[in-house]
Amino acid sequence: MSRLYIVILMVFFSTALSAQQELKKYLEFAQEKYASGDYIYALEYYEKAMAIDSNTINTLWEYAETLRAYKDYRKAAFYYGKVYDREGTQLYPSSLLQYGLMLKQSGRYDEALEVFKTAKKKYRKDPRGYLYRKSRVEMQSCVWAKSNQGDSTHHVFEALPDHINTANAEFGHRVFNNQLIFSSLRADSVGTAEEVYDPSYSTHLYRSAINDSAFAEEELISDLHLEGVHTGNGTFSLDHKRFYFSYCGDNGYNYKCKILVAYVEGNRFVDVDTLGSIINYEGANTTMPYIGEWEGSEVLFYASDREGGRGGMDIWYSFIKNGNQFQKPRNIKRINTADNELSPYWDSENTTLYFSSSWYDGFGGYDIFKSYYNTSFETPENLMEPINSPANDLYYFQTATKDTAFFSSNRLGSNYSKNPTCCSDIFMVREKLIDLPPTIEESLEDLNRRLPVTLYFHNDVPNPRSWDTTSNVNYIDSYNEYTAMIDQYKKEYSSGLRGERSDDAKDDIEDFFTEYVDQGVRDLIQFRDLLLIELDRGRKIELTVKGFASPLAKTDYNVNLTKRRIASMVNYLRAYDNGVFRKYLDETAENGGALRITQVPFGEYEADQIVSDNPNDQKNSVYSRAAAIERKIEIQSVDVIRQDDVLTTLLTANTLVHDAGTKSTGDRIEKQFILKNIGEQNIKIDEVVVSGEAITFEYNDNELIPGETTPINVVFDTKELTGHQVGFVEIRYNGLEKGLKLAITTELK
């Protein structure tokens, strides 16, 4: 071996050894900084380490965890994805869940939804475990978020001025005596995923006077400035003689918070003391106090991970007697979950609790919810956009007049120095001051934004084996019966399969019910409420509802079936809230409001033609996801009924769809439809529009008096066509934009 070769080898090994030593040093330093909550410094050294070695799975994982802690959601999603691709949850079981959560907090709901579906399958061996339950909840939450984006038109929304909101983190707590009480980091480093109670935030309490909606220069509340600890939150007792706040001691990453009380003397806070062990439970984090009035008594709401909770931080409350006697705290089990519930605010006047949670249907991270109390706390309701966002939204509270609310968020648009979502700012939101109700065009825009509303059905429901075109079934009853069959669907669709394939088939069915069937009802409820508001304003509204079916039965039967399905939705509206919609459906409302339902029963001829139509193969023709997704109705459009529209004039036909069955390419299919004026005024046909060159038509009478009929002959020339084909004619009349649509369907061999 030559001496030169030996020298080269020695240099190579020396360089490699030096790099490994550097790598070890960088990683150790990064891990130390991460453990102390200094995520900016930790990221700098992880990046140095990755410049030497970006392939080691442990380093990728630690880097992703630090990015998540620093709330850099997009980068964290990328690196969690890399970790999962490399190890498939074998080394880091939560990698897939965290990947989905970071995608969701980046607002990438479609991608996150697919990740959570995969996560459900990965974690299903432990259905009671947190990873499976969280993945399942987040899948539903993504479906909800997709359906509820974009509704921010009814609020004025703005950030507080930059001297309040710095490039670090600020959290609003109360407005008292025209002063905003808030906490601020006001330091050089930012840290923690659980920002609201992590001691790596060296927060202190400040106040800013509010004069004519302007915020004065803030000042540190020096009486509550405790060296070496972190103070935040803040709430006054009902008599304004006491001030409760949070105190968090820093012991590395093992911090502890507790609630302190100070007595108020004018503009001073004196005699700071710690609440006793009834509230500050030994060994627990106790924080985020809010004092309110409830059932004639003073009550303290707060967040704690003390024993007896549901998991993580829970919201508790304790009634107070004589200012300092705290009753046994109670856990609000109706709203607490396996995740954290934080920052309670109690609206005494409306007996409503506001809080933040990362468990319920939301846009990402922590969303703000409210729960009305009436003998018990009701199901939490999301406050929607613009109050909530894909980032963390917390610390909601209202002013005494209830016309303005404040909250804190690290959403895009917050002040920052490096990472756009690193740090929370304080935002203010209020209802728009509207002198006049919205125009009908604005109302229709709001309603159409909620469409389509899609409702799903079990096979041949409602009124199975019937040729009826109407039904007495209420859709909600049909929905409840349908969802009660989920286990039967799983069993039937997974029959003949084993192991993973069987489990995958069951998951596909469960995902379908979550993503489509259940979400359809949620969409219907939201649409229903908005629709009723417009009708109560005296609007005249037309809904176009299309009906679809799977190809198991013939077209003429399926057309009647889809009419029954549309009727079940109308029955639901008629029955809702003791018949509040009836006067509008019957056009008898004193305010002039009216609701017309225009049916477009498509039967199965728009269904996916690969779906089985074999009645002997019920696994695929009835119980498969592919078949189930075709059995639906859709509210597809909302239109205004103008004053010159004649509600009682209606053109109909003896049949809307003619199924010609199986034909050969090149056959001419002829069908005579019989038109009839079932209204009370003359109908004048303006034009007939066809779906393509293959369709031609002939008719004689352009005008029909009430009760008169006339034929229209339609020819479908199938030359050069193959497979499943549909041809349309649309008969427009009396100047209306929408006419009567007739169709011929066939299967060409």
Side-chain angles (χ1 to χ4, degrees):
M1 182 181 295
S2 69
R3 297 176 65 184
L4 177 60
Y5 187 64
I6 293 172
V7 170
I8 292 173
L9 282 175
M10 291 177 64
V11 170
F12 173 79
F13 285 120
S14 175
T15 303
L17 180 61
S18 175
Q20 288 300 313
Q21 290 173 340
E22 284 287 289
L23 176 63
K24 182 179 179 183
K25 180 178 69 175
Y26 291 150
L27 289 175
E28 288 177 349
F29 198 77
Q31 291 160 358
E32 177 185 334
K33 290 300 179 184
Y34 175 85
S36 66
D38 190 347
Y39 301 122
I40 292 179
Y41 215 177
L43 285 172
E44 289 182 8
Y45 278 86
Y46 275 123
E47 286 161 6
K48 291 177 184 291
M50 290 182 65
I52 299 172
D53 179 8
S54 61
N55 293 315
T56 302
I57 191 70
N58 292 356
T59 304
L60 289 172
W61 169 258
E62 292 172 6
Y63 186 52
E65 287 278 273
T66 309
L67 287 166
R68 177 172 67 92
Y70 185 43
K71 298 184 289 297
D72 193 338
Y73 307 128
R74 291 185 178 274
K75 280 189 179 180
F78 177 79
Y79 282 98
Y80 278 123
K82 291 190 72 170
V83 171
Y84 171 69
D85 287 342
R86 293 277 301 278
E87 52 83 54
T89 72
Q90 296 302 306
L91 295 175
Y92 299 101
S94 66
S95 61
L96 185 56
L97 174 62
Q98 294 297 350
Y99 180 31
L101 290 172
M102 295 301 99
L103 287 171
K104 187 185 178 194
Q105 289 207 252
S106 302
R108 295 154 65 182
Y109 298 124
D110 287 318
E111 296 171 75
L113 177 60
E114 295 306 313
V115 169
F116 290 129
K117 288 181 184 178
T118 303
K120 272 185 58 192
K121 294 179 180 180
K122 281 284 183 180
Y123 304 136
R124 66 190 173 202
K125 291 182 179 178
D126 183 15
R128 294 186 178 181
Y130 175 81
L131 295 178
Y132 176 81
R133 292 187 295 130
K134 180 66 171 174
S135 299
R136 186 173 180 175
V137 163
E138 288 297 339
M139 178 195 152
Q140 175 180 304
S141 184
C142 280
V143 175
W144 179 92
K146 288 173 58 180
S147 179
N148 287 280
Q149 285 178 281
D151 187 17
S152 59
T153 59
H154 301 300
H155 295 86
V156 176
F157 166 72
E158 59 184 297
L160 268 55
D162 287 348
H163 68 87
I164 300 288
N165 288 328
T166 69
N168 295 304
E170 281 75 37
F171 310 100
H173 302 305
R174 303 290 172 266
V175 170
F176 179 74
N177 283 346
N178 289 324
Q179 289 186 330
L180 171 69
I181 307 293
F182 70 100
S183 57
S184 178
L185 177 67
R186 305 292 161 107
D188 295 329
S189 62
V190 183
T192 186
E194 308 299 342
E195 59 188 21
V196 288
Y197 56 88
D198 190 300
S200 61
Y201 274 79
S202 300
T203 56
H204 295 291
L205 286 159
Y206 293 77
R207 57 187 161 197
S208 169
I210 307 173
N211 298 308
D212 295 328
S213 300
F215 292 84
E217 198 69 25
E218 69 281 0
E219 64 170 332
L220 178 71
I221 302 178
S222 56
D223 293 335
L224 305 177
H225 182 86
L226 305 176
E227 291 292 338
V229 297
H230 315 277
T231 55
N233 308 295
T235 180
F236 288 90
S237 60
L238 296 181
D239 61 9
H240 307 148
K241 294 181 179 180
R242 302 179 308 281
F243 182 77
Y244 298 84
F245 63 101
S246 296
Y247 164 108
C248 296
D250 190 354
N251 181 21
Y253 200 59
N254 297 316
Y255 55 86
K256 295 294 180 186
C257 297
K258 54 186 175 181
I259 297 174
L260 274 59
V261 61
Y263 289 87
V264 181
E265 292 184 356
N267 207 32
R268 296 288 310 278
F269 298 93
V270 300
D271 298 333
V272 177
D273 198 2
T274 303
L275 297 187
S277 59
I278 292 178
I279 302 300
N280 289 315
Y281 191 82
E282 183 68 26
N285 280 310
T286 305
T287 185
M288 302 176 183
Y290 183 79
I291 296 288
E293 182 180 359
W294 190 9
E295 298 176 346
S297 299
E298 191 171 40
V299 62
L300 167 68
F301 290 90
Y302 64 97
S304 177
D305 60 359
R306 63 187 290 159
E307 289 183 5
R310 301 290 301 276
M313 300 289 286
D314 279 5
I315 295 177
W316 299 73
Y317 68 92
S318 171
F319 286 104
I320 309 171
K321 289 186 177 181
N322 302 322
N324 60 5
Q325 297 176 20
F326 291 89
Q327 305 302 303
K328 181 180 179 180
R330 302 178 187 178
N331 184 287
I332 308 180
K333 294 183 178 180
R334 184 67 179 82
I335 65 172
N336 288 322
T337 70
D339 272 359
N340 294 325
E341 278 68 49
L342 305 169
S343 58
Y345 160 73
W346 176 248
D347 178 354
S348 303
E349 181 180 343
N350 297 302
T351 59
T352 300
L353 180 68
Y354 294 81
F355 64 98
S356 291
S357 175
S358 56
W359 186 265
Y360 298 103
D361 289 345
F363 295 101
Y366 290 105
D367 272 22
I368 300 168
F369 299 85
K370 66 179 180 180
S371 174
Y372 176 71
Y373 182 85
N374 181 17
T375 69
S376 65
F377 284 97
E378 295 185 352
T379 301
E381 177 184 342
N382 193 294
L383 293 198
M384 311 297 287
E385 295 177 338
I387 294 173
N388 288 319
S389 73
N392 290 332
D393 305 296
L394 304 116
Y395 287 111
Y396 176 92
F397 69 94
Q398 299 172 349
T399 58
T401 56
K402 301 289 195 301
D403 60 351
T404 303
F406 294 81
F407 64 94
S408 301
S409 177
N410 67 316
R411 66 187 60 196
L412 290 172
S414 302
N415 288 330
Y416 70 97
S417 56
K418 293 184 178 181
N419 168 23
T421 52
C422 74
C423 311
S424 289
D425 278 353
I426 304 171
F427 294 86
M428 183 169 60
V429 63
R430 64 179 183 273
E431 292 283 341
K432 281 183 179 178
L433 300 177
I434 302 177
D435 296 326
L436 298 174
T439 65
I440 184 63
E441 289 75 17
E442 291 170 333
S443 298
L444 291 182
E445 184 179 350
D446 282 348
L447 284 166
N448 276 295
R449 189 184 297 122
R450 298 288 179 182
L451 299 180
V453 173
T454 308
L455 308 176
Y456 293 86
F457 297 80
H458 178 52
N459 185 60
D460 201 17
V461 167
N463 305 92
R465 297 178 297 281
S466 168
W467 286 88
D468 292 342
T469 58
T470 188
S471 172
N472 293 323
V473 172
N474 182 317
Y475 175 71
I476 290 300
D477 294 333
S478 173
Y479 160 77
N480 289 332
E481 291 175 2
Y482 192 19
T483 55
M485 298 176 68
I486 187 170
D487 288 337
Q488 181 180 347
Y489 268 75
K490 289 181 179 181
K491 177 182 177 182
E492 296 290 345
Y493 189 52
S494 63
S495 65
L497 302 176
R498 297 290 182 270
E500 289 289 319
R501 293 183 62 196
S502 174
D503 290 338
D504 287 348
K506 293 174 183 176
D507 276 339
D508 285 344
I509 292 299
E510 185 174 273
D511 291 350
F512 165 73
F513 275 86
T514 298
E515 192 173 354
Y516 293 95
V517 182
D518 294 338
Q519 187 58 40
V521 171
R522 295 189 190 96
D523 291 341
L524 175 63
I525 290 170
Q526 288 188 329
F527 181 81
R528 173 203 71 197
D529 293 343
L530 291 173
L531 177 64
L532 185 58
I533 290 172
E534 299 310 315
L535 293 170
D536 286 345
R537 288 172 173 160
R539 312 291 201 196
K540 294 179 171 65
I541 292 176
E542 178 185 42
L543 304 184
T544 298
V545 186
K546 292 186 177 181
F548 305 86
S550 62
L552 190 58
K554 294 299 182 182
T555 297
D556 51 357
Y557 181 87
N558 278 335
V559 166
N560 288 0
L561 171 60
T562 55
K563 287 182 178 180
R564 298 198 298 273
R565 288 174 173 167
I566 295 171
S568 74
M569 185 273 291
V570 178
N571 293 339
Y572 164 72
L573 291 178
R574 283 190 172 277
Y576 171 68
D577 195 15
N578 296 317
V580 69
F581 280 96
R582 289 177 195 164
K583 57 182 178 289
Y584 300 119
L585 288 164
D586 296 337
E587 301 170 33
T588 58
E590 293 183 0
N591 68 358
L595 178 61
R596 179 202 292 178
I597 309 295
T598 296
Q599 299 187 17
V600 184
F602 275 159
E604 93 291 350
Y605 61 75
E606 286 204 352
D608 187 339
Q609 295 306 304
I610 67 170
V611 174
S612 173
D613 59 0
N614 182 357
N616 296 318
D617 179 21
Q618 290 207 347
K619 173 181 176 179
N620 292 303
S621 63
V622 174
Y623 294 102
S624 70
R625 177 183 174 126
I629 209 167
E630 302 295 343
R631 303 191 297 259
K632 62 192 176 187
I633 61 173
E634 289 182 352
I635 305 175
Q636 291 201 329
S637 66
V638 182
D639 297 288
V640 61
I641 302 172
R642 301 295 179 183
Q643 292 299 323
D644 55 356
D645 285 350
V646 184
L647 297 182
T648 56
T649 300
L650 185 64
L651 181 67
T652 187
N654 60 330
T655 182
L656 298 178
V657 179
H658 170 63
D659 181 18
T662 301
K663 297 290 184 180
S664 298
T665 297
D667 286 350
R668 284 170 56 86
I669 303 171
E670 299 182 10
K671 172 63 179 176
Q672 185 179 83
F673 296 88
I674 305 299
L675 306 179
K676 183 176 182 179
N677 180 354
I678 62 171
E680 298 178 356
Q681 296 185 15
N682 289 0
I683 286 178
K684 183 180 179 181
I685 297 176
D686 300 318
E687 63 175 334
V688 178
V689 180
V690 299
S691 59
E693 295 180 357
I695 297 291
T696 57
F697 62 89
E698 290 182 354
Y699 69 97
N700 295 321
D701 297 326
N702 275 18
E703 190 164 347
L704 301 176
I705 65 173
E708 187 178 4
T709 63
T710 189
I712 178 170
N713 298 308
V714 180
V715 177
F716 190 0
D717 186 350
T718 65
K719 183 180 179 181
E720 298 181 356
L721 300 177
T722 60
H724 194 79
Q725 296 292 331
V726 181
F728 295 98
V729 297
E730 182 178 353
I731 302 159
R732 297 178 180 172
Y733 59 96
N734 287 20
L736 300 178
E737 293 182 3
K738 295 182 179 182
L740 178 69
K741 186 176 284 188
L742 309 173
I744 296 175
T745 180
T746 185
E747 184 74 26
L748 298 174
K749 301 297 185 181

